[in-house]
Amino acid sequence: LLLLVFILRPFHRNSVAMGGKWYSSMAKIMGLKVVVQNRQVIDPNQTYVCIANHQNSFDLMTICKAAFNGVVTVGKKSLIWIPFFGLIYYFSGNIMIDRKNSGKARDTLKFTAKKILDGNFSVWFFPEGTRSYGRGLLPFKTGAFRIAEQTSKSLLMICASDTHQQIKWNRWNNGTVLIKFYEPEPLIPSKDIKGNSEYFHQKMETRLAELSDRIRHHRVSTGYECQMYCGLCTHLVRQQTVWTHHDRPSTGGGERSAKQVSGVCVSKR
């Protein structure tokens, strides 16, 4: 169905966002809760060079949920040969780069810069260039930073908490994946391309550690959580009755409550 939609309206500027929503809906089948935070930092009147971490094949169901209107991704040309997905990827307007041919790769980056400036698109890079598979954040390639320099666009960082060996096919509940947008930042003028690459790599590494630490300390016992404290449980707000939060008084009747204990979100009946 998705392929048919994209064939009927090829290269539409919002196709990647639509595809991201469709793919991320499959997370429920895997027993995953995908929570996206801080999306409000995106100015719909601006375009960005986006950088995100690339962990494994489950990214399709997790970090793709963060795709927004007007964004396209840069991916390797060989993706087009994947049955069905390759055609979806192509017709949704993503940019394909031939990394084996340096001349063509440079031409693709020039085209990418033109697409940002002329077509009012944001471009999403996985600057590691490949999936990390639990090896930590891999060194960044410089393409995203060259594009940011050529277009004078800010970098929009998007980070997803660790999913390596966290997801099992035979488990109904695989926990929560936290994805967060961070305030757009321009390149640092005093640093060259390599210096900016290293600076943003270190920044992403720190932020990923913070996100994964939040997830590790996020516990669910009965399905009722303290959304005032951790912000990961907004999907359960409708079930809320009474919330006792730190020194905050209760706000109604009922038998359920939530509180913070030693920095860990705990709930009980």
Side-chain angles (χ1 to χ4, degrees), residues 150-170:
Q150 291 174 27
T151 59
S152 299
K153 295 296 181 180
S154 293
L155 288 161
L156 178 62
M157 189 179 292
I158 306 151
C159 296
S161 60
D162 187 20
T163 59
H164 180 62
Q165 295 185 338
Q166 303 296 315
I167 302 170
K168 295 182 179 180
W169 291 92
N170 62 347

Side-chain angles (χ1 to χ4, degrees), residues 146-216:
R146 294 184 187 280
I147 294 297
E149 183 182 57
Q150 291 174 27
T151 59
S152 299
K153 295 296 181 180
S154 293
L155 288 161
L156 178 62
M157 189 179 292
I158 306 151
C159 296
S161 60
D162 187 20
T163 59
H164 180 62
Q165 295 185 338
Q166 303 296 315
I167 302 170
K168 295 182 179 180
W169 291 92
N170 62 347
R171 189 165 59 190
W172 286 108
N173 184 359
N174 280 301
T176 300
V177 178
L178 176 58
I179 299 162
K180 187 172 181 178
F181 286 88
Y182 293 87
E183 289 286 345
E185 295 181 64
L187 293 177
I188 300 173
S190 61
K191 295 182 182 291
D192 60 10
I193 293 295
K194 185 178 180 181
N196 272 291
S197 172
E198 292 171 348
Y199 168 79
F200 281 97
H201 182 279
Q202 184 178 19
K203 204 157 196 177
M204 183 179 286
E205 204 166 37
T206 300
R207 288 168 170 175
L208 287 173
E210 291 170 354
L211 288 185
S212 295
D213 188 60
R214 285 187 65 190
I215 291 296
R216 280 192 296 270

Side-chain angles (χ1 to χ4, degrees), residues 4 9 38 62 75 86 92-93 106 135 150 157 166 172 178 242-243 260 262 266:
L4 179 61
R9 57 167 211 178
N38 217 28
T62 57
S92 56
R106 283 193 295 270
R135 292 172 289 172
Q150 291 174 27
M157 189 179 292
Q166 303 296 315
W172 286 108
L178 176 58
V242 179
W243 298 100
Q260 186 210 12
S262 301
V266 178

